[in-house]
């Protein structure tokens, strides 16, 4: 006989990722961090990777939840759309920050999918963003991407 999983044990990797984000947020806000740390390209690249992973998770959850529970599935699909908007803004912010060296700055400030921008060699932020955008465009209409207001129905 197996015992039911506690909520903390059901998704250990997701729980660990959330704990890592909480730790990082606390360390950035720490009064010991003098001067205050600003966002830089590596931070935004890692944050973008995390957001796109969450996009894939929400997409999967929405698709598997929608048949038996249509209303809950629609809410998850709406969360997916809003998360895409946040991911897109992080991508834009990445390109507005200065590059590591001034010579790279002009070259790296624009998104060039045909070339590899600086970043991790396996998957760059632009490639990751284009791949996520492809999935979003297949499942989302332009009307869905309009500004959103939330009203709790509980």
């Amino acid at each position: 006989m197996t015992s039911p999983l506690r909520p903390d044990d059901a998704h250990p990797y997701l729980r660990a990722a959330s704990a890592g984000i909480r730790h990082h947020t606390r360390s950035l806000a720490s009064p010991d961090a003098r001067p205050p740390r600003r966002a830089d390209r590596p931070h935004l690249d890692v944050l973008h990777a995390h957001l796109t992973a969450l996009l894939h998770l929400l997409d999967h959850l929405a698709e598997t939840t929608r048949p038996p529970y249509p209303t809950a599935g629609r809410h998850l699909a709406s969360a997916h759309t809003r998360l895409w908007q946040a991911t897109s803004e992080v991508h834009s912010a990445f390109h507005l920050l200065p590059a590591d060296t001034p010579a790279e700055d002009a070259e790296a400030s624009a998104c060039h999918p045909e070339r590899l921008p600086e970043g991790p060699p396996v998957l760059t932020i632009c490639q990751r963003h284009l791949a996520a955008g492809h999935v979003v465009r297949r499942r989302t209409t332009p009307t869905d991407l309009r500004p959103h207001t939330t009203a709790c129905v509980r």
Side-chain angles (χ1 to χ4, degrees), residues 65-91:
T65 302
R66 189 171 293 163
Y69 305 104
T71 305
R74 282 193 302 273
H75 280 285
L76 290 173
S78 179
H80 179 267
T81 301
R82 304 305 163 233
L83 185 59
W84 165 251
Q85 291 170 330
T87 304
S88 186
E89 293 300 326
V90 168
H91 177 252

Side-chain angles (χ1 to χ4, degrees), residues 56-115:
H56 293 300
L57 177 62
L58 269 175
D59 186 41
H60 174 73
L61 290 174
E63 290 302 310
T64 57
T65 302
R66 189 171 293 163
Y69 305 104
T71 305
R74 282 193 302 273
H75 280 285
L76 290 173
S78 179
H80 179 267
T81 301
R82 304 305 163 233
L83 185 59
W84 165 251
Q85 291 170 330
T87 304
S88 186
E89 293 300 326
V90 168
H91 177 252
S92 296
F94 174 89
H95 288 292
L96 292 175
L97 289 175
D100 294 336
T101 63
E104 295 174 349
D105 197 20
E107 183 67 24
S109 64
C111 185
H112 297 286
E114 71 278 5
R115 295 182 297 204

Side-chain angles (χ1 to χ4, degrees), residues 11-136:
H11 304 283
Y13 296 117
L14 188 57
R15 192 180 79 234
S18 297
I21 289 174
R22 282 191 304 272
H23 172 76
H24 185 69
T25 302
R26 279 192 302 267
S27 70
L28 286 176
S30 169
D32 298 335
R34 303 259 186 232
R37 294 178 60 185
R38 297 174 299 186
D40 57 5
R41 284 181 161 215
H43 274 117
L44 292 185
D45 188 30
V46 171
L47 180 60
H48 188 271
H50 190 78
L51 290 173
T52 54
L54 285 173
L55 272 172
H56 293 300
L57 177 62
L58 269 175
D59 186 41
H60 174 73
L61 290 174
E63 290 302 310
T64 57
T65 302
R66 189 171 293 163
Y69 305 104
T71 305
R74 282 193 302 273
H75 280 285
L76 290 173
S78 179
H80 179 267
T81 301
R82 304 305 163 233
L83 185 59
W84 165 251
Q85 291 170 330
T87 304
S88 186
E89 293 300 326
V90 168
H91 177 252
S92 296
F94 174 89
H95 288 292
L96 292 175
L97 289 175
D100 294 336
T101 63
E104 295 174 349
D105 197 20
E107 183 67 24
S109 64
C111 185
H112 297 286
E114 71 278 5
R115 295 182 297 204
L116 293 175
E118 73 286 354
V122 177
L123 186 62
T124 65
I125 190 170
C126 292
Q127 290 171 324
R128 187 184 322 113
H129 194 71
L130 288 170
H134 178 70
V135 172
V136 169

